[in-house]
Amino acid sequence: MTRSEQLFEAAQKVMPGGVNSPVRACRSVGTYPRFLQKSKGSRVYDVDGNEYIDLIGSWGPLILGHCRREVEDAVLAAVKDGLSFGAPTPSEVEMAELVCQMTGVEMVRMVNSGTEAVMSALRLARGATGRSKLIKFAGCYHGHSDSMLVKAGSGLMTGGQPDSAGVPAEMAGDTLTAAYNDAASVRRLLEANPGQVAAVIVEPVAANMGVVPPKPGFLQALRELCDEFGALLILDEVITGFRLARGGAQAYYGVKADLVTYGKIIGGGMPVGAYGGSRKLMEQVAPLGPVYQAGTLSGNPVAMAAGLAQLRILQNDPQIYAELDRKGEVLQNGLREIFREAGIPAQVNRAGSLLTVFFTEEPVTGYAQARSSDLERYKQWYNGLLSRGIYTAPSQFEAMFLCAAHTDQEIQTILAAARETVRDMQ
Ligand SMILES: *Cc1c(COP(=O)(O)O)cnc(C)c1O
């Protein structure tokens, strides 16, 4: 037994499924999780001494790679001054100023996770509009708060069914589900629920059903529909924020949201989330306004130090995004070629540095097509790559994340591993 298997056995005795977040358990790919011990740049190392090229990057936060010197130094310096005060600190102000400057939001509130950011933004949207219904898209993930654990139920016009036990049906019933990349499905829901929809929330690039970019005009259509029906548009930029561009998807696709949620990259690897928007909306939040939201560790100085150090580098070196996009394109084209030559039906979707290989013949533009993927093939793909030193998502419905530390040579190493894996799959 490997050390990872031993640890997993011990973990399962004292933690549900042996993990603190479900996908990590690697159940859908029929293996056990590799327990990671250390990292550097684009590489991670497990407790058995195996080295991997990391295509997960902690699920997105580490856009500069692991253990980037500037981030590490900033964190160590902050630790020396104290781990937490529960009081205002200078770094929070710098963080808020930088986020506003980079993204165009006028005010921002820091929280501790993407889940919390979304939950708080939804409360604000409901408080500000006096409406209670929400529209989300099937296959979009917005964290695990009650009202967001809903996908398409028995039809687009009916209230959602919860995906999780423990979510009251009444709560899920206020969450309506539309089809991603289908603005007409949103219009139908808005028309069927006049004056009742507080907000439409969307991942501007869907990245939790695998990567599904928005069709041209889709996000703009949502903006117009929200204006027409008096609903707020919430872009959940927990993945896309600071990844597609300094200004996230808002800048990349030229669409302006009423509220935006951030997470992942904003914390540089520490647990951080944030939500922001116009001054008028954000002034509805306590202590200025009636929408209550608080957090003992929110704006934590060590977390702020990590996030700020990373954001400053992204702010000062916009060339990073062009490079990520270029490497993403090389990987996408290389993979497409490999599958084409092998005659294996696959779609390689990409938005900037986010990619997913779907094992299906159909172009994947939404949830239904994503679900048509051959999960048995994905399992072979995952395990083939892992055994060749490529660490990628243990689920068909997740993204590969490129980071600034990936070299051109490593992209070629990934492609070589992919070629061998695909040969075994034939
Ligand atoms: C990861 C994610 C979340 C939840 O963030 P956590 O920090 O895991 O709570 C919310 N929305 C999107 C789009 C995400 O990818």
Side-chain angles (χ1 to χ4, degrees):
M1 243 206 289
T2 62
R3 182 87 185 105
S4 280
E5 284 171 293
Q6 288 167 6
L7 281 167
F8 192 42
E9 222 172 75
Q12 284 171 292
K13 295 196 178 113
V14 286
M15 297 156 68
V19 291
N20 280 314
S21 197
V23 174
R24 294 178 200 169
C26 295
R27 290 165 77 102
S28 71
V29 286
T31 183
Y32 57 92
R34 293 344 187 237
F35 282 66
L36 300 183
Q37 193 160 42
K38 57 178 185 164
S39 59
K40 186 74 200 164
S42 60
R43 308 284 175 131
V44 290
Y45 303 83
D46 72 15
V47 290
D48 291 293
N50 299 306
E51 176 174 358
Y52 304 94
I53 297 177
D54 183 15
L55 283 173
I56 297 186
S58 188
W59 302 99
L62 302 177
I63 189 168
L64 300 176
H66 295 268
C67 303
R68 173 83 177 220
R69 172 65 74 73
E70 294 92 326
V71 178
E72 221 174 59
D73 288 350
V75 168
L76 292 176
V79 164
K80 294 229 163 85
D81 288 335
L83 293 183
S84 181
F85 303 105
T89 60
S91 60
E92 294 171 294
V93 188
E94 284 178 70
M95 174 61 104
E97 285 173 349
L98 186 55
V99 169
C100 290
Q101 194 185 343
M102 289 175 84
T103 67
V105 301
E106 290 173 351
M107 292 182 118
V108 63
R109 167 66 58 89
M110 305 307 299
V111 294
N112 305 290
S113 70
T115 295
E116 215 186 317
V118 168
M119 186 181 78
S120 309
L122 292 173
R123 182 178 303 143
L124 173 53
R126 284 167 155 165
T129 60
R131 301 172 173 191
S132 55
K133 292 189 177 171
L134 306 165
I135 294 178
K136 76 176 283 292
F137 295 87
C140 281
Y141 179 67
H142 301 290
H144 63 90
S145 68
D146 283 348
S147 59
M148 290 291 100
L149 286 182
V150 177
K151 59 178 176 194
S154 53
L156 295 176
M157 308 302 286
T158 59
Q161 295 294 308
D163 274 349
S164 167
V167 177
E170 311 85 70
M171 182 138 233
D174 272 345
T175 303
L176 313 172
T177 312
Y180 192 77
N181 268 330
D182 179 1
S185 72
V186 179
R187 172 174 288 282
R188 285 198 293 277
L189 290 172
L190 287 166
E191 282 173 354
N193 297 273
Q196 298 173 63
V197 176
V200 175
I201 181 165
V202 66
E203 285 182 75
V205 172
N208 286 285
M209 53 173 134
V211 172
V212 182
K215 286 182 182 163
F218 173 62
L219 298 173
Q220 284 73 16
L222 296 185
R223 174 70 274 168
E224 284 162 23
L225 282 167
C226 284
D227 290 342
E228 184 181 339
F229 288 88
L232 300 181
L233 178 62
I234 305 177
L235 290 189
D236 181 353
E237 295 229 47
V238 169
I239 283 184
T240 55
F242 314 103
R243 174 164 288 276
L244 293 179
R246 283 184 293 189
Q250 290 200 101
Y252 194 76
Y253 293 111
V255 59
K256 185 117 179 60
D258 297 298
L259 291 171
V260 196
T261 54
Y262 297 105
K264 299 188 172 126
I265 290 178
I266 201 173
M270 297 293 281
V272 180
Y275 63 106
S278 66
R279 186 173 310 282
K280 184 158 166 287
L281 273 174
M282 293 302 289
E283 284 183 347
Q284 299 285 309
V285 176
L288 290 182
V291 177
Y292 195 71
Q293 185 268 309
T296 303
L297 293 173
S298 295
N300 173 274
V302 182
M304 293 301 101
L308 259 175
Q310 180 159 267
L311 292 186
R312 281 199 189 109
I313 293 172
L314 296 172
Q315 163 77 337
N316 294 327
D317 183 4
Q319 196 46 34
I320 285 175
Y321 294 106
E323 271 297 291
L324 284 170
D325 189 61
R326 185 185 62 75
K327 284 183 274 190
E329 193 176 10
V330 172
L331 185 55
Q332 180 185 35
N333 289 339
L335 289 172
R336 280 181 169 160
E337 183 66 17
I338 289 169
F339 292 118
R340 201 181 52 72
E341 278 175 3
I344 290 183
Q347 309 295 324
V348 187
N349 279 13
R350 181 176 77 92
S353 53
L354 301 166
L355 298 94
T356 297
V357 174
F358 293 96
F359 291 98
T360 177
E361 316 222 343
E362 299 181 68
V364 177
T365 57
Y367 191 52
Q369 299 90 345
R371 297 236 315 187
S372 75
S373 300
D374 184 338
L375 301 185
E376 210 39 54
R377 280 236 161 103
Y378 190 85
K379 195 177 184 175
Q380 296 171 335
W381 168 249
Y382 171 83
N383 286 294
L385 289 181
L386 189 70
S387 68
R388 293 174 175 89
I390 313 297
Y391 189 77
T392 188
S395 161
Q396 170 69 86
F397 307 109
E398 301 281 356
M400 292 188 266
F401 298 87
L402 288 176
C403 74
H406 287 116
T407 62
D408 288 335
Q409 183 56 48
E410 284 174 318
I411 303 292
Q412 293 309 319
T413 306
I414 295 165
L415 287 171
R419 205 168 286 117
E420 287 181 23
T421 298
V422 164
R423 198 174 302 140
D424 289 350
M425 287 167 71
Q426 278 174 304

